[in-house]
PDB file of all heavy atoms in Angstrom:
ATOM      1  N   GLN A1439     -50.063  -5.794  29.551  1.00 93.00           N
ATOM      2  CA  GLN A1439     -49.980  -6.823  30.594  1.00 93.00           C
ATOM      3  C   GLN A1439     -49.439  -6.222  31.888  1.00 93.00           C
ATOM      4  O   GLN A1439     -49.977  -6.454  32.970  1.00 93.00           O
ATOM      5  CB  GLN A1439     -49.080  -7.964  30.122  1.00 93.00           C
ATOM      6  CG  GLN A1439     -49.005  -9.100  31.108  1.00 93.00           C
ATOM      7  CD  GLN A1439     -48.172 -10.262  30.581  1.00 93.00           C
ATOM      8  OE1 GLN A1439     -47.449 -10.136  29.598  1.00 93.00           O
ATOM      9  NE2 GLN A1439     -48.279 -11.390  31.233  1.00 93.00           N
ATOM     10  N   GLU A1440     -48.390  -5.420  31.761  1.00 93.00           N
ATOM     11  CA  GLU A1440     -47.819  -4.763  32.940  1.00 93.00           C
ATOM     12  C   GLU A1440     -48.832  -3.809  33.576  1.00 93.00           C
ATOM     13  O   GLU A1440     -48.929  -3.710  34.801  1.00 93.00           O
ATOM     14  CB  GLU A1440     -46.548  -4.011  32.547  1.00 93.00           C
ATOM     15  CG  GLU A1440     -45.834  -3.405  33.733  1.00 93.00           C
ATOM     16  CD  GLU A1440     -44.562  -2.675  33.337  1.00 93.00           C
ATOM     17  OE1 GLU A1440     -44.052  -2.874  32.222  1.00 93.00           O
ATOM     18  OE2 GLU A1440     -44.090  -1.878  34.182  1.00 93.00           O
ATOM     19  N   THR A1441     -49.610  -3.119  32.743  1.00 93.00           N
ATOM     20  CA  THR A1441     -50.634  -2.195  33.245  1.00 93.00           C
ATOM     21  C   THR A1441     -51.619  -2.925  34.151  1.00 93.00           C
ATOM     22  O   THR A1441     -51.908  -2.474  35.263  1.00 93.00           O
ATOM     23  CB  THR A1441     -51.388  -1.536  32.067  1.00 93.00           C
ATOM     24  OG1 THR A1441     -50.471  -0.744  31.316  1.00 93.00           O
ATOM     25  CG2 THR A1441     -52.541  -0.680  32.568  1.00 93.00           C
ATOM     26  N   PHE A1442     -52.130  -4.048  33.679  1.00 92.00           N
ATOM     27  CA  PHE A1442     -53.133  -4.766  34.465  1.00 92.00           C
ATOM     28  C   PHE A1442     -52.525  -5.431  35.698  1.00 92.00           C
ATOM     29  O   PHE A1442     -53.184  -5.521  36.738  1.00 92.00           O
ATOM     30  CB  PHE A1442     -53.903  -5.754  33.590  1.00 92.00           C
ATOM     31  CG  PHE A1442     -54.879  -5.054  32.686  1.00 92.00           C
ATOM     32  CD1 PHE A1442     -54.671  -4.967  31.326  1.00 92.00           C
ATOM     33  CD2 PHE A1442     -56.009  -4.436  33.208  1.00 92.00           C
ATOM     34  CE1 PHE A1442     -55.557  -4.298  30.493  1.00 92.00           C
ATOM     35  CE2 PHE A1442     -56.904  -3.758  32.401  1.00 92.00           C
ATOM     36  CZ  PHE A1442     -56.678  -3.695  31.043  1.00 92.00           C
ATOM     37  N   MET A1443     -51.269  -5.832  35.609  1.00 90.00           N
ATOM     38  CA  MET A1443     -50.603  -6.383  36.804  1.00 90.00           C
ATOM     39  C   MET A1443     -50.456  -5.295  37.861  1.00 90.00           C
ATOM     40  O   MET A1443     -50.744  -5.516  39.044  1.00 90.00           O
ATOM     41  CB  MET A1443     -49.244  -6.969  36.425  1.00 90.00           C
ATOM     42  CG  MET A1443     -49.367  -8.261  35.647  1.00 90.00           C
ATOM     43  SD  MET A1443     -47.813  -8.916  34.975  1.00 90.00           S
ATOM     44  CE  MET A1443     -46.628  -8.606  36.227  1.00 90.00           C
ATOM     45  N   LYS A1444     -50.036  -4.109  37.432  1.00 90.00           N
ATOM     46  CA  LYS A1444     -49.886  -2.992  38.371  1.00 90.00           C
ATOM     47  C   LYS A1444     -51.244  -2.572  38.933  1.00 90.00           C
ATOM     48  O   LYS A1444     -51.350  -2.212  40.109  1.00 90.00           O
ATOM     49  CB  LYS A1444     -49.184  -1.812  37.708  1.00 90.00           C
ATOM     50  CG  LYS A1444     -47.716  -2.045  37.504  1.00 90.00           C
ATOM     51  CD  LYS A1444     -47.029  -0.839  36.919  1.00 90.00           C
ATOM     52  CE  LYS A1444     -45.539  -1.109  36.842  1.00 90.00           C
ATOM     53  NZ  LYS A1444     -44.784   0.068  36.432  1.00 90.00           N
ATOM     54  N   ALA A1445     -52.266  -2.592  38.098  1.00 87.00           N
ATOM     55  CA  ALA A1445     -53.603  -2.228  38.565  1.00 87.00           C
ATOM     56  C   ALA A1445     -54.071  -3.195  39.651  1.00 87.00           C
ATOM     57  O   ALA A1445     -54.651  -2.774  40.654  1.00 87.00           O
ATOM     58  CB  ALA A1445     -54.588  -2.220  37.396  1.00 87.00           C
ATOM     59  N   MET A1446     -53.810  -4.472  39.448  1.00 85.00           N
ATOM     60  CA  MET A1446     -54.204  -5.464  40.459  1.00 85.00           C
ATOM     61  C   MET A1446     -53.501  -5.199  41.782  1.00 85.00           C
ATOM     62  O   MET A1446     -54.108  -5.234  42.845  1.00 85.00           O
ATOM     63  CB  MET A1446     -53.842  -6.878  39.989  1.00 85.00           C
ATOM     64  CG  MET A1446     -54.905  -7.564  39.188  1.00 85.00           C
ATOM     65  SD  MET A1446     -56.469  -7.703  40.068  1.00 85.00           S
ATOM     66  CE  MET A1446     -56.052  -8.839  41.362  1.00 85.00           C
ATOM     67  N   LYS A1447     -52.199  -4.930  41.686  1.00 83.00           N
ATOM     68  CA  LYS A1447     -51.401  -4.732  42.898  1.00 83.00           C
ATOM     69  C   LYS A1447     -51.780  -3.448  43.631  1.00 83.00           C
ATOM     70  O   LYS A1447     -51.681  -3.372  44.846  1.00 83.00           O
ATOM     71  CB  LYS A1447     -49.915  -4.699  42.554  1.00 83.00           C
ATOM     72  CG  LYS A1447     -49.369  -6.038  42.135  1.00 83.00           C
ATOM     73  CD  LYS A1447     -47.906  -5.925  41.757  1.00 83.00           C
ATOM     74  CE  LYS A1447     -47.380  -7.252  41.232  1.00 83.00           C
ATOM     75  NZ  LYS A1447     -46.000  -7.137  40.761  1.00 83.00           N
TER      76      LYS A1447
END
Side-chain angles (χ1 to χ4, degrees):
Q1439 183 176 14
E1440 185 179 344
T1441 296
F1442 286 109
M1443 288 173 39
K1444 287 183 176 187
M1446 271 302 292
K1447 290 178 184 175

